[in-house]
Amino acid sequence: MLLRCAVLDDFQNVATTIADWSPLRDRVEVTSFTEHLADEDELAAALADFDIVVTLRERVPFPASLLDRLPRLRLIVASGMRNSVIDYAAAERGGVTVSGTQSFPTPPVELTWALLLGLARGLVTEHNTLRANGPWQSTVGADLHGRRLGLLGLGRIGGRVARVGLAFGMEVTAWSPHLTKERTDEAGVELATSKEELLASADYVSLHLVLGDTTRGLLGAAELSLMKPTAYLINTSRSALVDQDALLTVVREGRIAGAAVDVFDTEPLPADHPMRTAPRLLTTPHLGYVSDLNYRTYYTQAVENIEAHLAGTPLRRLG
């Protein structure tokens, strides 16, 4: 009898075609879910008859309460090599192996700059106005050259964002809870004396931090109030780094020039969510990692992980 594999959150319906699944054809039946399963009861019912689950990023939590309801499950493959929403101890107790895949930092870097430039030059406004036969030129773009880019985080992604900022002729400063001057010197950027100093001085603030105890809620109402009224905020990292209600308040009141957000507290974003319609807010549906390179890697390595699991030699184990 064939084993059954569920591929979750295949929104573009490409998971089974962007990689070669033929090595599993005689052993595994693959089912793609193109709609998000958000409710634990819904997940438990949908996945009850599956032996393998391939899950995308950290969109679907696998707590002990769900794992206990999936006695047939033996393997979870998560894209990326870090996943904070899987209960690894519960998975081990239930005999479930958890593995990951490689994930490249360049796609979120590229999206960060797409969003930053879109904000600075009013691209969405001008595009919509042009298509509607509205006024010819209605905005005055903000400059990048000579302006200050403040990076909260200077790791694999933040460091690459910094290099692009320097290429634009920007002054780049960075801060994170454990960032050292050695690291900022290596990257050719300035170490901010504090988070508050960075926020108060930057013309553009971009977040590139791992979510944890020291970074959750990093920017709340008090921190956002420090930003210049002409400054922009970009978050392609993790939603919980920024208080969503506080961000909505500052963009609605025009206390910052604008913000671009690719990550949300609830994903997919509910149809009536205020972030869909707030002024001065450029939003994308968590596209940071969504690129041909990453998707080919995720699903090619998912096939490899499943093959290794069937051979009793698991690859890229997490937890």
Side-chain angles (χ1 to χ4, degrees):
M1 186 173 66
L2 293 177
L3 298 178
R4 299 193 67 204
C5 172
V7 179
L8 301 182
D9 292 328
D10 184 18
F11 299 127
Q12 299 90 352
N13 197 23
V14 297
T16 58
T17 57
I18 203 166
D20 180 11
W21 292 76
S22 64
L24 304 174
R25 184 179 297 127
D26 297 331
R27 294 171 290 170
V28 179
E29 176 189 13
V30 180
T31 301
S32 170
F33 289 81
T34 58
E35 299 293 329
H36 181 62
L37 303 172
D39 179 79
E40 186 171 309
D41 290 338
E42 189 179 19
L43 281 161
L47 301 179
D49 296 327
F50 286 92
D51 309 275
I52 302 163
V53 171
V54 178
T55 184
L56 194 61
R57 307 300 294 172
E58 297 173 317
R59 185 165 286 112
V60 177
F62 281 86
S65 56
L66 175 59
L67 292 168
D68 289 344
R69 299 167 70 178
L70 301 173
R72 185 167 162 173
L73 185 63
R74 287 294 173 265
L75 174 66
I76 298 173
V77 181
S79 59
M81 291 301 293
R82 180 189 292 117
N83 193 301
S84 64
V85 299
I86 297 173
D87 188 326
Y88 295 107
E92 186 175 3
R93 287 195 305 270
V96 179
T97 299
V98 183
S99 67
T101 72
Q102 189 177 7
S103 183
F104 292 93
T106 47
V109 172
E110 293 164 2
L111 183 72
T112 295
W113 281 101
L115 292 174
L116 191 154
L117 288 163
L119 280 175
R121 300 304 295 266
L123 295 187
V124 174
T125 297
E126 295 290 0
H127 169 79
N128 290 339
T129 301
L130 187 66
R131 290 178 69 94
N133 199 26
W136 184 261
Q137 299 183 0
S138 60
T139 63
V140 177
D143 294 290
L144 272 61
H145 184 84
R147 301 297 172 87
R148 174 164 287 200
L149 172 64
L151 299 175
L152 293 170
L154 196 65
R156 285 202 318 156
I157 295 174
R160 286 171 168 82
V161 172
R163 290 203 292 271
V164 177
L166 292 170
F168 271 118
M170 302 181 79
E171 298 177 7
V172 183
T173 184
W175 179 91
S176 70
H178 306 292
L179 187 60
T180 65
K181 191 172 186 306
E182 287 180 344
R183 171 64 185 130
T184 54
D185 286 348
E186 177 188 355
V189 306
E190 179 184 340
L191 176 64
T193 58
S194 66
K195 171 181 64 177
E196 291 75 15
E197 186 269 332
L198 181 146
L199 292 169
S201 63
D203 299 293
Y204 301 88
V205 175
S206 190
L207 291 99
H208 304 285
L209 291 163
V210 174
L211 183 63
D213 293 340
T214 61
T215 59
R216 186 178 297 275
L218 187 75
L219 301 187
E223 289 78 16
L224 293 173
S225 70
L226 298 173
M227 293 180 63
K228 300 177 182 179
T230 54
Y232 297 91
L233 177 73
I234 301 94
N235 187 9
T236 57
S237 186
R238 290 291 183 270
S239 174
L241 297 171
V242 182
D243 184 309
Q244 205 162 64
D245 291 337
L247 179 59
L248 280 168
T249 297
V250 296
V251 295
R252 282 172 177 155
E253 295 179 358
R255 287 159 48 195
I256 63 174
V261 177
D262 185 51
V263 287
F264 307 91
D265 290 349
T266 302
E267 296 184 7
L269 200 62
D272 60 349
H273 198 285
M275 294 199 85
R276 287 183 179 268
T277 55
R280 288 175 284 275
L281 190 62
L282 175 57
T283 52
T284 47
H286 204 154
L287 298 178
Y289 62 91
V290 181
S291 77
D292 183 80
L293 172 66
N294 265 345
Y295 267 41
R296 288 186 187 279
T297 302
Y298 293 165
Y299 295 115
T300 297
Q301 293 188 1
V303 172
E304 294 172 357
N305 289 356
I306 294 168
E307 285 190 285
H309 171 75
L310 297 179
T313 55
L315 280 174
R316 307 181 187 97
R317 294 192 68 163
L318 301 181

